[in-house]
Amino acid sequence: MVLLEPDVLEAAIPAIYGLESAGPLGWAIHVAHGIVLGLVFGFLVTRPSILGVSWTDVETDALSRTGVPSRVTGAGLVYGLAVWAVLPLLVLPVWATAVGGNTEQFPTTAAGSLLGHALLGVVLGAVFAATVDLRDRPIERRLER
């Protein structure tokens, strides 16, 4: 985002909190958003019902060759796309309008925004799968075939 939309980081992101443009402040807020979203992903992916889906044997050739780490990485991609669909496209315009901001300064539907959120999800899922051992977690139930 620093390379594609530096103005959004420097001015628009602080503006949604009623703050003046302050250069690195927008970057810090955006990183804080990423940390919170990463914690939410970790919480969601470790729920017993979601783990049950991750551990379920499947009959399709492509998915049957994947393990839990690949599926968690895929879940990260889905999560990143969901974050892009919900936060910038739905929540941000409502929030900006409520605080009297200008929604035109946010390129929410830009391909760079979509790509950035997808990349966030893939990296988040891959790092989570590589660093967290999910084998000792309780599984609510596996899906039936």
Side-chain angles (χ1 to χ4, degrees), residues 8 12 17 23 59 65 69 76-77 86 88 99 106 122 131 133 136 141:
V8 171
Y17 292 102
E59 293 183 10
R65 290 185 293 242
L77 172 62
V86 172
V99 297
F106 294 101
V122 168
T131 58
D133 184 10
D136 64 342
R141 65 180 171 88

Side-chain angles (χ1 to χ4, degrees), residues 63-140:
L63 288 177
S64 66
R65 290 185 293 242
T66 63
V68 173
S70 297
R71 293 177 189 184
V72 171
T73 302
L77 172 62
V78 170
Y79 181 75
L81 295 175
V83 165
W84 174 77
V86 172
L87 294 181
L89 295 180
L90 298 175
V91 174
L92 182 61
V94 172
W95 183 336
T97 302
V99 297
N102 181 5
T103 60
E104 294 173 5
Q105 59 188 338
F106 294 101
T108 55
T109 58
S113 176
L114 173 62
L115 180 62
H117 285 95
L119 182 62
L120 163 80
V122 168
V123 170
L124 179 62
V127 169
F128 190 85
T131 58
V132 177
D133 184 10
L134 297 173
R135 291 176 290 180
D136 64 342
R137 305 285 175 150
I139 298 173
E140 192 169 284

Side-chain angles (χ1 to χ4, degrees), residues 12-83:
I13 290 178
I16 64 173
Y17 292 102
L19 302 171
E20 295 294 321
S21 175
L25 177 63
W27 183 83
I29 292 170
H30 201 65
V31 168
H33 289 167
I35 291 169
V36 170
L37 291 171
L39 292 171
V40 169
F41 175 77
F43 174 78
L44 291 174
V45 82
T46 57
R47 298 302 87 204
S49 58
I50 294 177
L51 279 178
V53 172
S54 297
W55 286 93
T56 299
D57 293 327
V58 293
E59 293 183 10
T60 60
D61 288 338
L63 288 177
S64 66
R65 290 185 293 242
T66 63
V68 173
S70 297
R71 293 177 189 184
V72 171
T73 302
L77 172 62
V78 170
Y79 181 75
L81 295 175
V83 165

